[in-house]
Amino acid sequence: MAYDSVDHEGALALRLDAELRRAHPRTILEAAVESFGDKLALVSSFGAESAVLLDIAAKVKPDIPVLFLDTGMLFGQTLDYRKQLAERLGLTNVRDLRPQYHDLATGDPQAKLWQTDTDACCHIRKVLPLDRALAEFDAWITGRKRFHGGDRLNLPVVEQADGQVKFNPLANWDKADLDAYAAEHDLPAHPLVAQGFPSIGCWPCTQPAEDGEDVRAGRWKGMDKTECGIHVARAPGTPNNVGGDI
């Protein structure tokens, strides 16, 4: 299933999705690596549910580029977890993406933008750094899952977005599948999970979720916002395919 540059990204994504829509996440990752090789990256938040996908990726291709968005406003526990988990799993190519000094100096000089415009804050600290990093890749892997609800209910396993192919190997898995895999492989949990955080982002905009609430209920709580913008299509006429934890 070698990547054919003549294939249009959309047609290629449709074909791969048809082939892989019921496949095991490892099979999906193997197909992604076979199709795109070094032009493939994995984007991870090293959040509450990240260990499973990172473990599978480490078993398939330990030197896969793993793009981690260090926004400058992450919990200290997330930064520690990123270092410990990468070492534990043997991931050798984790890249820390940070917002550019110029963007912060002009758009958020006092680091208070989150108080007045969360979309703009996410754009500077997440969307722009990731867009720059992804420019060298033809495809990338996310950790989104359908059980997170909302628009994610119709999430394909493989999709085309903004001229790139996106793989969502865990789209079919639910919380029980993730927990079972983590237990079987003795994967360490993010330390904030035990404190009631089922989904973890930046500290100013993340709160614990109440019992019975949606997994992402603690993200931007009380605001009309559910996504940071990474998975919202920016090309004209392209449908949005938003998602949960990266």
Side-chain angles (χ1 to χ4, degrees), residues 43-243:
V43 179
S44 178
S45 64
F46 283 81
E49 297 172 348
S50 297
V52 170
L53 183 60
L54 289 169
D55 183 69
I56 299 172
K59 288 176 167 58
V60 173
K61 184 175 168 58
D63 65 342
I64 188 172
V66 178
L67 308 182
F68 170 65
L69 288 161
D70 182 356
T71 65
M73 291 191 172
L74 297 178
F75 289 94
Q77 292 93 327
T78 298
L79 298 176
D80 291 342
Y81 187 60
R82 168 254 179 272
K83 294 178 182 177
Q84 295 163 4
L85 191 60
E87 183 176 348
R88 162 82 174 267
L89 301 181
L91 291 164
T92 61
N93 193 9
V94 180
R95 307 179 185 183
D96 298 326
L97 310 181
R98 298 182 175 91
Q100 287 193 352
Y101 174 79
H102 177 266
D103 293 335
L104 292 175
T106 58
D108 192 13
Q110 296 182 315
K112 294 181 179 179
L113 186 59
W114 62 271
Q115 297 177 354
T116 57
D117 192 339
T118 54
D119 286 341
C121 185
C122 288
H123 188 73
I124 290 173
R125 296 176 180 275
K126 292 185 177 183
V127 176
L128 290 178
L130 184 60
D131 278 354
R132 294 181 183 114
L134 285 175
E136 67 177 275
F137 299 100
D138 293 330
W140 52 295
I141 300 162
T142 88
R144 294 175 297 161
K145 310 152 194 83
R146 293 192 193 110
F147 83 87
H148 282 176
D151 290 332
R152 296 170 288 282
L153 288 171
N154 298 314
L155 184 69
V157 169
V158 187
E159 60 185 319
Q160 185 271 344
D162 297 318
Q164 292 172 314
V165 176
K166 292 169 69 173
F167 292 85
N168 308 304
L170 299 179
N172 294 321
W173 275 22
D174 59 20
K175 184 71 164 56
D177 294 319
L178 295 172
D179 290 345
Y181 185 97
E184 179 184 354
H185 297 274
D186 193 27
L187 298 179
H190 190 297
L192 289 178
V193 171
Q195 299 181 35
F197 292 81
S199 182
I200 301 161
C202 296
W203 65 262
C205 299
T206 306
Q207 298 180 29
E210 302 294 332
D211 288 342
E213 282 189 316
D214 180 82
V215 171
R216 288 172 60 80
R219 304 288 291 275
W220 305 286
K221 199 159 190 172
M223 306 180 199
D224 184 22
K225 177 179 174 69
T226 59
E227 302 296 336
C228 65
I230 287 172
H231 297 295
V232 177
R234 295 180 289 284
T238 306
N240 290 341
N241 284 306
V242 298

Side-chain angles (χ1 to χ4, degrees), residues 30-43:
E30 289 171 343
V33 170
E34 185 179 349
S35 298
F36 290 94
D38 293 335
K39 286 295 186 178
L40 173 75
L42 187 155
V43 179

Side-chain angles (χ1 to χ4, degrees), residues 19-36:
E19 294 174 1
L20 301 169
R21 64 181 54 177
R22 292 180 178 84
H24 186 277
R26 176 160 182 160
T27 302
I28 297 166
L29 272 168
E30 289 171 343
V33 170
E34 185 179 349
S35 298
F36 290 94

Side-chain angles (χ1 to χ4, degrees), residues 3-4 6-18 36 138 158-166:
Y3 174 62
D4 183 353
V6 178
D7 269 348
H8 183 272
E9 290 88 349
L12 177 61
L14 286 172
R15 176 170 64 80
L16 289 172
D17 185 58
F36 290 94
D138 293 330
V158 187
E159 60 185 319
Q160 185 271 344
D162 297 318
Q164 292 172 314
V165 176
K166 292 169 69 173

